[in-house]
Amino acid sequence: MKVNGTPMRTIWPVEAGKVVEIIDQTRLPHEFVTTQLTTRAEAAHAISAMLVRGAPLIGATAAYGMALAMAEDPSDANLKAAHEALYATRPTAVNLRWALEEMAVLLPGLAPAERAAAAWTRAGEICDEDVGLCESIGAHGLGLITDLYAKRGGTGVFNILTHCNAGWLATVDWGTAIAPIYKAHEAGIPIHVWVDETRPRNQGASLTAWELNSHGVPHTVIPDNAGGHLMQHGEVDMCIVGTDRTTRTGDVCNKIGTYLKALAAKDNGVPFYVALPGPTIDWTVRDGVKEIPIEQRDPAEVTRIWGKTDAGALEWVIITPEGSQAANHAFDVTPARLVTGLITERGVCPASEAGLSGLYPEKRT
Amino acid sequence: MKVNGTPMRTIWPVEAGKVVEIIDQTRLPHEFVTTQLTTRAEAAHAISAMLVRGAPLIGATAAYGMALAMAEDPSDANLKAAHEALYATRPTAVNLRWALEEMAVLLPGLAPAERAAAAWTRAGEICDEDVGLCESIGAHGLGLITDLYAKRGGTGVFNILTHCNAGWLATVDWGTAIAPIYKAHEAGIPIHVWVDETRPRNQGASLTAWELNSHGVPHTVIPDNAGGHLMQHGEVDMCIVGTDRTTRTGDVCNKIGTYLKALAAKDNGVPFYVALPGPTIDWTVRDGVKEIPIEQRDPAEVTRIWGKTDAGALEWVIITPEGSQAANHAFDVTPARLVTGLITERGVCPASEAGLSGLYPEKRT
């Protein structure tokens, strides 16, 4: 999407086989800085230090990391070492494992001299495939927005609430939950986005606000506490969120707090949609609340907040008293009964086993 | 309650007729500083600059402000001027108006020379009455906790979730929502409190955490997003929150985000109680969602966060990109259907007109 009027991706090749460039997302929203990756070690650091984040972008970066590793040393030994080093950066990221597996299937059968070029090409394909997937989600979501807007009379601003960042910054381009919003904005529907700030890591206030602002989509940052009140008063026409993992029955694991918004949407008759690429469906899980383990992250992410001082310095501040502990559950699970529908690259379906297996018949067992 | 082992109130007389002392709550949780008020102007500033906050404490401070004003100049003209100046500090605070009305009834009939002493005495009574009210709420809430804990088998930790600060810092002592927690803690029930940080002003992370920590009640600060997940997993036995205003039908207006927690409590069968002093019931309102106007505060409270840097400085940091706007709705309304019961100084009742008029028969019309 656009930054200062120029279309961009989150990762792009600069010199074939040698240099790939990324946005350093740790500096957003206060500084827009790009960084070039020229070695496997730099790619691994970009992932582990969260210069890149979001499952699809992590996968794409890992793929380019393998290509850079093969340019450094295409031996079997380095193939194994690079795979392990990149895998260790964020071991729970599904797309990371997937992208590395793609390379593990492709590269060993090739002569070492051919590996770097083949890996570079495949990394580019992985990026393009992700863009295609996200754009399809956007197109299907646009259909929903168009219908809902028409039902409402087709006038006035259409208000969409989102949680966390499932925008183009989390993918290679378009995003998942935000893709339909960009499509609708381009289609001329007067969209306004309520952006949950998304404590504790503030991905909404920093990343979603930044990308909507950069692309020119009207939006307002709100505390996570505010969505219920806005829905009670008719100020939300639709919710769209992303997901890290969807069960075969349509339960949705997403950033902590998603469940609370889904409850409020249900209580107020607001359509609640979840956008997801098919590969994030976990066909092995039936009961998301019972079966999905929820990561507990560093409590310091709750007690310390990062931002810009009036003097322009980027600083961390502590908000809790010395002696008080904090807890930091990263995700929660929204039961399928609260989800109006799932927006996938293959179309929209009910959040149910029947719905999902209708779109992904090859996964029926 | 206790600070460093010593019982304290939030406001206390130091020298009869001349000096009253308060905790400067703007410095909490990072610095514990007390300040003496010796003039009407200092009392007014303490209220308007939010050195004191919480409806009951604002009322008590205004009462002492009138006493200090009478010590400065007990004339009729100053009676009027002081009333107006103190009223203007936080004109929407119900207890502020009430405390000033008490003084307006008491003082004009007295000879000027008697006014200062009478006002000082009445201010002390207002404080004691508030302490009595809160302690009664605590006693009735303790009954509920005792029953729920016994029902659960009477073993293990009893987890209570609260939102915002309805503790002793908001009152003269004990608090409203936290009073039952202090009572249960004193009674030896092993209480643990989940403290919602309560964005955007972080009253939970700063004030509630500070007072629980100071008194020695086990607690954990959580993002406002986390409560639903904790309830899904049986980690919350009960919610208790305060309220700024309760309708005659039992709808509850409280800090933004309360409604979301009530929805999650309902969805998971967790008892959701609201603690309130009878005077905060608004007998003129029937439909809280439709009739109660919700204050919109400065968006800078959302975009800027205050805390302590690693170097020990108290700083504000901005968390949103330049160009993104924010919205700041201060309260929301929780419909009575989501409230298990109301804890008042007269006992516990259902959140309904029948329940409330049973406890306050004099308000039946």
Side-chain angles (χ1 to χ4, degrees):
Chain A
M1 309 316 294
K2 289 183 195 160
V3 178
N4 301 325
T6 306
M8 290 195 76
R9 287 184 172 187
T10 53
I11 187 166
W12 61 98
V14 173
E15 190 184 342
K18 292 193 175 159
V19 185
V20 67
E21 194 159 346
I22 58 166
I23 300 168
D24 178 355
Q25 299 195 21
T26 63
R27 314 285 279 277
L28 295 176
H30 305 296
E31 295 174 357
F32 176 66
V33 177
T34 65
T35 305
Q36 297 194 341
L37 309 177
T38 59
T39 63
R40 185 263 287 163
E42 287 173 358
H45 176 260
I47 299 170
S48 63
M50 298 181 76
L51 277 67
V52 293
R53 19 74 56 200
L57 176 55
I58 289 170
T61 308
Y64 273 115
M66 284 302 294
L68 294 170
M70 291 301 94
E72 292 173 286
D73 167 8
S75 69
D76 284 1
N78 195 42
L79 198 54
K80 186 161 177 287
H83 186 115
E84 282 171 9
L86 288 162
Y87 182 73
T89 52
R90 296 283 302 271
T92 61
V94 175
N95 295 50
L96 172 68
R97 194 170 55 204
W98 173 81
L100 292 172
E101 282 305 318
E102 288 286 298
M103 293 298 183
V105 168
L106 172 70
L107 301 177
L110 302 176
E114 296 170 352
R115 288 174 180 170
W120 190 265
T121 301
R122 184 71 192 112
E125 289 168 0
I126 285 174
C127 289
D128 291 344
E129 286 163 15
D130 185 63
V131 175
L133 207 78
C134 289
E135 195 170 357
S136 292
I137 290 171
H140 292 299
L142 171 61
L144 282 176
I145 295 172
T146 306
D147 289 353
L148 287 168
Y149 189 57
K151 251 187 222 168
R152 237 201 41 185
T155 57
V157 169
F158 190 81
N159 290 295
I160 300 179
L161 184 145
T162 192
H163 191 71
C164 198
N165 177 256
W168 73 276
L169 288 173
T171 63
V172 177
D173 205 353
W174 289 102
T176 54
I178 310 295
I181 289 170
Y182 287 123
K183 287 282 182 189
H185 178 73
E186 287 189 0
I189 298 173
I191 298 285
H192 167 263
V193 185
W194 295 111
V195 179
D196 272 0
E197 67 172 342
T198 318
R199 290 282 295 142
R201 291 174 58 85
N202 297 350
Q203 294 96 332
S206 54
L207 304 176
T208 303
W210 183 85
E211 65 168 87
L212 292 173
N213 194 43
S214 299
H215 193 77
V217 180
H219 64 284
T220 304
V221 177
I222 49 173
D224 301 305
N225 283 324
H229 168 74
L230 294 171
M231 292 188 219
Q232 279 180 324
H233 290 270
E235 298 198 52
V236 181
D237 294 299
M238 181 187 198
C239 301
I240 313 181
V241 300
T243 166
D244 288 74
R245 200 166 165 189
T246 303
T247 68
R248 70 180 296 133
T249 54
D251 293 342
V252 171
C253 181
N254 190 41
K255 193 64 53 191
I256 190 82
T258 302
Y259 166 54
L260 294 172
K261 293 301 138 59
L263 285 167
K266 188 79 168 183
D267 200 45
N268 293 285
V270 174
F272 188 92
Y273 283 93
V274 179
L276 64 141
T280 62
I281 302 166
D282 187 337
W283 297 92
T284 68
V285 176
R286 293 198 161 271
D287 184 328
V289 174
K290 281 198 187 142
E291 296 176 49
I292 298 178
I294 299 297
E295 180 190 359
Q296 291 218 37
R297 296 177 57 89
D298 187 348
E301 291 184 349
V302 177
T303 58
R304 292 161 56 88
I305 293 180
W306 179 81
K308 193 167 73 169
T309 65
D310 288 335
L314 297 177
E315 281 269 18
W316 291 91
V317 294
I318 301 166
I319 61 164
T320 47
E322 225 175 284
S324 289
Q325 62 175 354
N328 184 9
H329 302 79
F331 304 99
D332 65 20
V333 173
T334 299
R337 67 185 151 86
L338 301 176
V339 178
T340 310
L342 303 172
I343 311 172
T344 79
E345 74 282 5
R346 294 193 189 173
V348 178
C349 73
S352 65
E353 184 157 9
L356 280 171
S357 65
L359 287 182
Y360 299 90
E362 73 276 21
K363 298 291 186 178
R364 268 184 218 146
T365 50
Chain B
M1 310 315 296
K2 289 184 195 160
V3 178
N4 300 325
T6 306
M8 289 195 76
R9 288 184 172 187
T10 53
I11 186 166
W12 61 98
V14 174
E15 190 186 343
K18 292 195 177 158
V19 186
V20 66
E21 193 158 347
I22 58 166
I23 300 168
D24 178 354
Q25 299 195 21
T26 63
R27 315 284 281 275
L28 296 176
H30 304 296
E31 295 173 356
F32 176 67
V33 177
T34 65
T35 305
Q36 297 194 342
L37 310 178
T38 58
T39 64
R40 185 264 288 163
E42 287 173 359
H45 175 260
I47 300 171
S48 62
M50 299 181 77
L51 278 67
V52 294
R53 20 74 57 199
L57 176 55
I58 289 171
T61 308
Y64 273 114
M66 283 302 295
L68 294 170
M70 291 302 94
E72 292 173 286
D73 167 8
S75 68
D76 285 1
N78 194 43
L79 200 54
K80 186 162 176 286
H83 187 116
E84 282 171 9
L86 288 162
Y87 183 72
T89 54
R90 296 283 302 272
T92 62
V94 175
N95 296 51
L96 172 68
R97 194 171 53 205
W98 173 81
L100 293 173
E101 283 306 317
E102 289 286 299
M103 293 299 183
V105 168
L106 171 70
L107 301 177
L110 302 177
E114 296 169 352
R115 286 174 181 170
W120 188 265
T121 301
R122 183 72 191 111
E125 289 167 1
I126 285 176
C127 290
D128 291 344
E129 285 163 16
D130 185 63
V131 174
L133 207 78
C134 289
E135 194 170 357
S136 292
I137 290 173
H140 292 299
L142 170 61
L144 282 175
I145 295 173
T146 305
D147 288 353
L148 287 167
Y149 189 57
K151 251 187 221 169
R152 236 200 43 184
T155 58
V157 170
F158 190 81
N159 289 295
I160 300 180
L161 184 144
T162 192
H163 190 71
C164 199
N165 177 256
W168 72 275
L169 287 172
T171 62
V172 177
D173 204 353
W174 290 102
T176 55
I178 310 295
I181 290 170
Y182 289 123
K183 286 282 182 188
H185 178 73
E186 286 189 0
I189 298 173
I191 298 285
H192 168 263
V193 185
W194 295 112
V195 179
D196 272 0
E197 67 173 340
T198 318
R199 289 283 293 141
R201 291 174 58 85
N202 298 349
Q203 293 96 331
S206 54
L207 304 177
T208 303
W210 183 85
E211 65 167 87
L212 292 173
N213 194 44
S214 298
H215 193 76
V217 180
H219 64 283
T220 304
V221 177
I222 50 172
D224 301 304
N225 283 323
H229 168 74
L230 294 171
M231 291 188 220
Q232 279 181 325
H233 290 270
E235 299 198 53
V236 181
D237 294 299
M238 181 187 199
C239 301
I240 313 181
V241 299
T243 168
D244 288 73
R245 199 166 164 189
T246 302
T247 68
R248 70 181 295 134
T249 55
D251 294 342
V252 171
C253 182
N254 189 41
K255 193 63 54 192
I256 190 84
T258 302
Y259 167 53
L260 294 171
K261 291 304 137 60
L263 284 167
K266 187 80 168 182
D267 200 45
N268 294 285
V270 174
F272 188 92
Y273 283 92
V274 179
L276 64 141
T280 63
I281 302 166
D282 186 338
W283 297 92
T284 68
V285 176
R286 294 198 160 269
D287 184 329
V289 174
K290 281 197 188 142
E291 295 176 51
I292 298 179
I294 300 298
E295 179 190 0
Q296 291 217 38
R297 296 177 58 89
D298 187 346
E301 292 184 348
V302 176
T303 59
R304 293 160 56 87
I305 293 180
W306 179 81
K308 191 167 74 168
T309 66
D310 288 335
L314 297 177
E315 280 269 19
W316 290 92
V317 295
I318 301 166
I319 61 164
T320 47
E322 225 174 284
S324 288
Q325 62 175 355
N328 185 10
H329 302 80
F331 304 99
D332 64 20
V333 173
T334 300
R337 66 184 153 87
L338 301 176
V339 178
T340 310
L342 304 173
I343 311 171
T344 78
E345 74 281 6
R346 294 196 190 171
V348 178
C349 73
S352 66
E353 184 158 7
L356 280 171
S357 65
L359 287 182
Y360 299 90
E362 73 275 22
K363 297 292 184 178
R364 267 184 220 147
T365 49

